[in-house]
Amino acid sequence: YQRRVRGGKHYHNNFFLCGNGRCTKYDKVCNLWDDCGDGSDEENCSNNFICGGNREIIPLSKKCDGIAHCGDMSDECNKNCGKEIVNDFLLKVATWVIGLLSMILNVAVLVDHGKSSIKQCKTNVSLTNDVLIFLIGVGDFLMGVYLLSLAVVDSLIYKSDYCSKQFSWLTSRYCSILGVISTFASQLSLFSLTALSVFRACGVFSAHSTPGSINRKGVLKTALTVMTLVVISAAISVVPLFPFLRDFFVNGIVYNKSMRIFQGQI
């Protein structure tokens, strides 16, 4: 660069003037390092991204690459990229609709089933059958509670702020409670449906025998089955929260290194 001044003299402008008045060589401009001390030599560069918090400078190729390189996660949580609890619009709608319908319809089924079917059972077979169907309804209702709660948190509480606040959410007690509810609901429905299938399969092989009327032994057998299913489902949903297993299930240790849970946190 050459500039002519009064008197015919000239000088070579080989330096970049920083915003703070300092000078640095042009080959140090946009080199992903703050040579000026105020970051002015890295501003308006097309090859970098300046983090929002500590003004750390990273290559532009690391912006929105799915891995947080900035301490404040600004390279992954900005107007160009980010994430919500439920990202897709159709999934958001489905979460609200399925959650509401699951709660409303299963409440109706449980009330009707509890008032009529179970009370009118006259044999041990029908009692066990109706109780297992009732448990499936309970599991489906709880899954509706989980989906509706998730929709409320996603659409009404965090919204687009979830990306920068995901660490707070994932380590919150409310998130843990929702995790317990969803796991318990899915396992209870699964085990109850499996038990019902096994029970009916056994009924096929004993189709020629006459079902016995309800008696104390049959009631105790059904109650034991219910308790077993509930206890196993509850154990599976609560065990991950035990302190000695928390590192594996909760605190960010993952099954696959390419699938990161917590990013940008120390």
Side-chain angles (χ1 to χ4, degrees):
Y1 298 88
Q2 194 176 78
R3 181 178 298 175
R4 186 173 296 278
V5 295
R6 184 177 300 178
K9 296 181 180 181
H10 64 270
Y11 65 91
H12 292 278
N13 182 15
N14 295 325
F15 295 91
F16 173 82
L17 180 63
C18 303
N20 56 10
R22 296 176 57 184
C23 292
T24 186
K25 293 182 179 180
Y26 273 102
D27 59 2
K28 293 185 176 181
V29 177
C30 297
N31 66 342
L32 304 179
W33 186 262
D34 182 9
D35 297 286
C36 285
D38 62 354
S40 57
D41 58 313
E42 298 300 319
E43 293 179 353
N44 302 316
C45 297
S46 60
N47 66 331
N48 67 20
F49 176 83
I50 302 177
C51 301
N54 57 7
R55 304 292 292 175
E56 180 184 358
I57 303 168
I58 63 173
L60 188 64
S61 60
K62 292 185 177 181
K63 177 185 176 183
C64 299
D65 65 347
I67 302 175
H69 302 279
C70 296
D72 61 351
M73 300 181 68
S74 57
D75 59 317
E76 298 299 320
C77 302
N78 51 67
K79 63 181 181 180
N80 301 116
C81 58
K83 62 180 178 180
E84 301 177 22
I85 297 178
V86 182
N87 286 307
D88 188 76
F89 175 75
L90 293 179
L91 288 179
K92 290 178 182 289
V93 175
T95 303
W96 279 99
V97 173
I98 295 175
L100 284 171
L101 289 179
S102 180
M103 289 181 61
I104 295 173
L105 296 179
N106 278 289
V107 165
V109 170
L110 292 175
V111 171
D112 179 71
H113 204 72
K115 285 184 177 180
S116 57
S117 298
I118 295 179
K119 290 183 178 180
Q120 294 177 4
C121 292
K122 297 182 179 180
T123 64
N124 292 326
V125 173
S126 60
L127 176 64
T128 304
N129 185 80
D130 288 344
V131 168
L132 290 175
I133 293 176
F134 186 84
L135 284 182
I136 295 174
V138 172
D140 291 344
F141 169 77
L142 290 176
M143 185 56 70
V145 172
Y146 162 73
L147 289 174
L148 188 60
S149 300
L150 192 66
V152 170
V153 173
D154 173 61
S155 302
L156 303 181
I157 298 179
Y158 281 98
K159 301 178 181 178
S160 58
D161 293 333
Y162 171 72
C163 184
S164 58
K165 298 179 179 179
Q166 60 177 311
F167 181 78
S168 299
W169 162 247
L170 292 173
T171 56
S172 67
R173 180 171 298 181
Y174 187 53
C175 180
S176 298
I177 292 174
L178 284 186
V180 169
I181 292 175
S182 66
T183 304
F184 178 78
S186 60
Q187 297 303 315
L188 183 62
S189 295
L190 175 63
F191 290 141
S192 298
L193 185 59
T194 302
L196 181 62
S197 300
V198 172
F199 177 73
R200 290 184 173 180
C202 293
V204 172
F205 293 102
S206 59
H208 298 291
S209 60
T210 303
S213 58
I214 291 181
N215 51 43
R216 186 175 181 180
K217 182 179 179 180
V219 173
L220 290 175
K221 184 178 179 180
T222 301
L224 181 61
T225 301
V226 171
M227 289 181 58
T228 301
L229 297 178
V230 171
V231 169
I232 293 176
S233 300
I236 293 176
S237 60
V238 174
V239 161
L241 299 181
F242 288 169
F244 63 92
L245 291 174
R246 192 169 296 164
D247 281 338
F248 185 76
F249 288 101
V250 179
N251 288 339
I253 297 178
V254 296
Y255 303 98
N256 188 329
K257 292 183 179 180
S258 65
M259 298 174 62
R260 299 173 181 268
I261 297 180
F262 299 154
Q263 300 172 349
Q265 302 293 337
I266 300 177

